[in-house]
Amino acid sequence: TVKVDKIRPITSASVSGTVGTNGWYTSNAEISLTASDDVDGSGVQYTEYSYDNTIWHNYSTPIVVSTEGVTSIFYRSVDNASNTEVFQTVTVKIDKTAPTSTINLSGTLGLNGWYTSSVTAAIDATDNVDGSTVEAIKYSTDGTNWTTVSGTSAIVSISAEGPSTIY
């Protein structure tokens, strides 16, 4: 009996988790690897993965990525004839932290915290993860009717008499 296997196995990756906008996950991401060998092949011996393409780990259960930012996982399989797949890569972007915003008020400030002119509120938003961006700012001056402004800044003018709250 002569056994010949010259074909490398093939591995595919699937990623699960809660996806937000622009492909960013808002939860941990779970990467599952599935390997197969050709029909007449020797069969898959093992599948392995690496975070840096240097140190390889045997794959047995889904890989959980929880670190915020961009993470690349390299993976490959080896069959029983020792054909080694050229490594593949899956990249996961995670941002689980909400953006932060600041408000700067400008106007003529009188006594006891009251303004004696209309007030301009400049709202600026930033995100904590490099590469992740703020899509829009939503604000309200009555807590019911919301205005959406695309981008990382918005200007709100307040001229009504009495106290006002910006949500």
Side-chain angles (χ1 to χ4, degrees):
T1 301
V2 176
K3 300 187 286 185
V4 176
D5 182 353
K6 300 184 292 184
I7 299 173
R8 298 173 181 171
I10 298 172
T11 309
S12 62
S14 63
V15 183
S16 60
T18 305
V19 181
T21 57
N22 295 325
W24 285 85
Y25 284 82
T26 58
S27 68
N28 292 346
E30 188 174 279
I31 300 168
S32 297
L33 302 176
T34 305
S36 62
D37 202 11
D38 64 300
V39 159
D40 294 321
S42 60
V44 176
Q45 183 179 18
Y46 62 89
T47 300
E48 59 187 0
Y49 68 96
S50 173
Y51 290 100
D52 58 6
N53 196 21
T54 308
I55 299 170
W56 290 86
H57 309 278
N58 283 328
Y59 173 81
S60 59
T61 60
I63 305 158
V64 177
V65 179
S66 60
T67 304
E68 289 191 279
V70 179
T71 302
S72 292
I73 302 292
F74 302 87
Y75 60 93
R76 64 184 176 199
S77 292
V78 177
D79 69 14
N80 288 307
S82 61
N83 293 308
T84 303
E85 178 181 21
V86 176
F87 72 79
Q88 307 292 319
T89 306
V90 62
T91 301
V92 178
K93 304 180 297 184
I94 298 178
D95 183 359
K96 299 184 285 187
T97 306
T100 56
S101 58
T102 57
I103 297 179
N104 293 309
L105 303 175
S106 62
T108 305
L109 188 59
L111 297 174
N112 300 312
W114 286 90
Y115 284 86
T116 59
S117 67
S118 294
V119 175
T120 300
I123 305 171
D124 293 303
T126 58
D127 201 2
N128 70 319
V129 177
D130 231 13
S132 179
T133 59
V134 174
E135 293 288 319
I137 293 175
K138 293 183 179 184
Y139 68 87
S140 174
T141 55
D142 63 8
T144 304
N145 299 305
W146 293 87
T147 301
T148 301
V149 177
S150 295
T152 60
S153 61
I155 301 294
V156 180
S157 295
I158 300 172
S159 58
E161 287 287 318
S164 293
T165 302
I166 300 173
Y167 300 90

